[in-house]
Amino acid sequence: MAGTNSMQKSARDMILSLSLILLAAGVIWLFIPHDDGEPDLKRVDYRVDLLTARRAATYPVAAPEGLSEAWKPTSVRFQGEEFDSWHLGYRTPDGEYVAVEQSAQKPVVFIEGETQGAEKTGKTQQIDGKTWTRYEGDRYDALVLEEEGSTTVVTGTASFARLTEMAEALRTASD
């Protein structure tokens, strides 16, 4: 009988210990923040970068005008040493990504890189009197405008409707 009593005590102590551990884990879990939402991307002011790019680039640098405040600029860069490469990234109102990419680099190489391997569809569309070519890919889709001296790529995870909206908003200093 003495053995049974010590086994009961031992089992009771294990259950109490396990209960305390679970209670402590529950309390810790309650106080740890659980933010499952999307990260808050900071809005960037690209005006100075745009002026710099427009002064330095060998082609007319484009940036959107007239987009709603729901379009959030999130990244910008101009690299003069790399074919006057201009990048402006946006988060769309529906949470997708759209980027404006321009360069004086050879179009085939530039398009391949910026669209992440998207394929030319053979479909075109007219935007502001210019012919843009559609590209579709596993990761990004794109609208591409090849002009004398530069290539403009509007690319991202967004729909073609959003890509078109961005392309329609693009203006250069001479527009």
Side-chain angles (χ1 to χ4, degrees):
M1 197 116 98
T4 307
N5 193 16
S6 72
M7 282 179 44
Q8 286 176 341
K9 241 183 180 183
S10 199
R12 187 186 77 208
D13 289 347
M14 285 188 346
I15 290 172
L16 284 173
S17 295
L18 183 59
S19 297
L20 284 173
I21 290 170
L22 289 175
L23 180 65
V27 168
I28 291 170
W29 183 84
L30 284 174
F31 289 102
I32 294 176
H34 301 290
D35 187 11
D36 295 336
E38 295 183 22
D40 185 32
L41 297 174
K42 200 173 189 181
R43 182 179 293 271
V44 298
D45 183 357
Y46 60 87
R47 291 176 294 184
V48 172
D49 297 275
L50 178 60
L51 289 172
T52 301
R54 285 183 170 165
R55 286 185 188 129
T58 58
Y59 56 85
V61 173
E65 289 181 10
L67 292 174
S68 74
E69 279 294 308
W71 285 79
K72 186 185 232 181
T74 58
S75 60
V76 62
R77 74 180 159 275
F78 175 73
Q79 295 174 315
E81 67 281 355
E82 293 186 26
F83 306 102
D84 291 343
S85 177
W86 168 247
H87 160 85
L88 184 57
Y90 270 82
R91 182 181 178 103
T92 67
D94 49 354
E96 296 296 329
Y97 175 71
V98 171
V100 176
E101 309 286 355
Q102 284 185 288
S103 180
Q105 186 177 18
K106 186 177 177 183
V108 173
V109 175
F110 180 66
I111 294 166
E112 170 76 19
E114 297 306 327
T115 65
Q116 297 193 10
E119 298 287 327
K120 193 176 198 176
T121 65
K123 297 178 184 175
T124 61
Q125 64 187 83
Q126 292 293 311
I127 299 174
D128 291 334
K130 296 178 181 179
T131 303
W132 292 72
T133 304
R134 285 184 174 212
Y135 283 70
E136 291 181 3
D138 293 334
R139 185 152 185 226
Y140 285 175
D141 292 330
L143 293 172
V144 176
L145 176 64
E146 293 183 54
E147 296 181 294
E148 185 67 36
S150 70
T151 303
T152 303
V153 177
V154 176
T155 188
T157 60
S159 67
F160 275 108
R162 289 289 189 197
L163 297 176
T164 299
E165 192 175 344
M166 175 59 81
E168 289 172 340
L170 292 179
R171 300 288 179 266
T172 62
S174 61
D175 287 343

